[in-house]
Amino acid sequence: MPNTGTPHEPSLAERDPEIARLIRDEEVRETVKLRLIPSENYVSRAVLEATGSILTNKYSEGYAGKRYYEGQQVIDQVEELAVSRLKSLFGVEHVNVQPYSGSPANLAVYLAFCQPHDVIMGLGLPSGGHLTHGSSVSITGKYFKSVPYDVSPEDQRIDFGEVRRLALEHKPKIIWCGTTAYPRTLDFPKFREIADEVGAKLCADIAHISGLVVGGAHPSPVGYADVITSTTHKTLRGPRGGLVMCKKEFAKDIDRAVFPGLQGGPHNHTTAGIAVAAKEASTPEFKSYAHAVVSNAKVLAEGLLSKGFTLVTGGTDNHLILIDLRSKNVTGKIAAQALDRAGIVGNYNAIPFDPRKPFDPSGFRIGTPSITSRGMGKDEMLKLADVMAQVVSAPDDVKLIESVAAQVKELCLGFPPPGIAV
Ligand code: DSN
């Protein structure tokens, strides 16, 4: 049982009823709505307990056995357990579990391997890349010379001809392979070939797919990438945090970059939550979950196609679907807001070569990690495609949206999410 304080201490509800009520409101929202944002998920009760523990009280700059504060008898064990579980889960030689999230994990990679103004390459943001892979609005596009590669206009898949041509021309220090809005399998061997040809380090950012990778539902970059980064809270189903994994030869550079290069004390309560998530992710049940995430996404994609939706790349290989709403004559924002009112929560998103602006783009991004964590399957995916089509074709129809919201709520109540007492 978690320590809930001494009996004379007020509970959260007594001490701060406003925050207690807001947490309860969010629990209700996460229960009665279909959460389709592909980077979100539900953590288990066990992960929640570890993350909400008194381990938040301790400072522990440094690494196990080499800390700058005394009193690490317990924290060293927590971090060592997290690291050893992650090493065997991913099959890697070294793990740093201290990055506060995915962006700091990626910044640590730059700090370890690059000097300011070095050339770096990553998938462009409009093609489904991440801000920290060299976007001009990110520090990574300001402090480094970013040469983005894109997807092909023909099939909207990564254009390896262009990756190779740009790499040969610009000789990047690092090449990122990683995505936030790309529905297809990443070809790590192909990236490796190009990185070898130009002497670049290959950095795989598997934040979105790390749960699929460890569950065997997406190929692993291990053995191809020099460095692998990830968040811990997406398909991996841990608390919000970050990881950098690498070969032993880069361990010192990566560790120095994370601390003292970028961060101070690690968030030990998060480390404990990640350790629990790593234990959960090593089970056969998690493997089934990872495969179910992908099969649900495929069924949902087929359902959407049958309702006349256009999907970027024509479908999905992973947990994510990017809808091009132009054929439905509605913008991403209008569709996203109408669907949210109907209890179907995704995010408006740019599509490749989007003629519209990023704040009001043509696409809508959804994914199946959260609804699969609730145990939903094929029937629910087909129902979802059906109600999505209804809402998108009449985003101003208040009566329809109320009716869909009621159906969604009923559906959701049949699939209680992990970690939330209904
Ligand atoms: N914000 C994350 C996502 O939604 O994909 C990426 O960092």
Side-chain angles (χ1 to χ4, degrees), residues 37-40 103 130 179-181 207-208 231 234 240 347 365:
I37 294 173
S39 45
E40 294 183 359
S103 296
H130 190 253
T179 63
T180 60
H208 265 257
T231 50
K234 296 186 174 94
R240 305 190 85 86
N347 65 275
R365 187 183 71 146

Side-chain angles (χ1 to χ4, degrees), residues 147-207:
V147 177
Y149 56 87
D150 282 302
V151 295
S152 141
E154 279 81 50
D155 61 4
Q156 300 158 325
R157 294 178 188 234
I158 290 172
D159 183 346
F160 280 98
E162 194 198 25
V163 180
R164 181 165 182 269
R165 183 181 63 72
L166 291 172
L168 286 169
E169 183 182 341
H170 296 280
K171 299 278 186 298
K173 260 286 179 47
I174 62 179
I175 299 177
W176 285 102
C177 48
T179 63
T180 60
Y182 186 69
R184 295 297 177 179
T185 302
L186 288 174
D187 189 340
F188 298 118
K190 234 180 209 168
F191 275 110
R192 177 76 261 168
E193 248 175 66
I194 296 171
D196 282 344
E197 215 176 334
V198 300
K201 294 230 162 32
L202 184 63
C203 307
D205 177 346
I206 59 167

Side-chain angles (χ1 to χ4, degrees), residues 2 44-56 78 239 268-277:
S44 67
R45 176 181 170 189
V47 168
L48 269 182
E49 280 183 17
T51 309
S53 70
I54 53 84
L55 298 178
T56 193
V78 171
N268 299 307
H269 54 303
T270 303
T271 305
I274 294 170
V276 176

Side-chain angles (χ1 to χ4, degrees), residues 25 34 45-46 67 78 80 96 147 160-161 185 204 221 232 237 243 249 257 275 280 348 354-355 362 366 372 408 419:
D25 287 352
L34 288 166
R45 176 181 170 189
R67 306 274 189 190
V78 171
E80 279 172 340
N96 187 308
V147 177
F160 280 98
T185 302
T232 47
R237 285 206 332 210
L243 305 173
E249 59 180 299
E280 291 176 348
Y348 58 82
D354 202 327
S362 308
I366 56 173
T372 308
V408 165

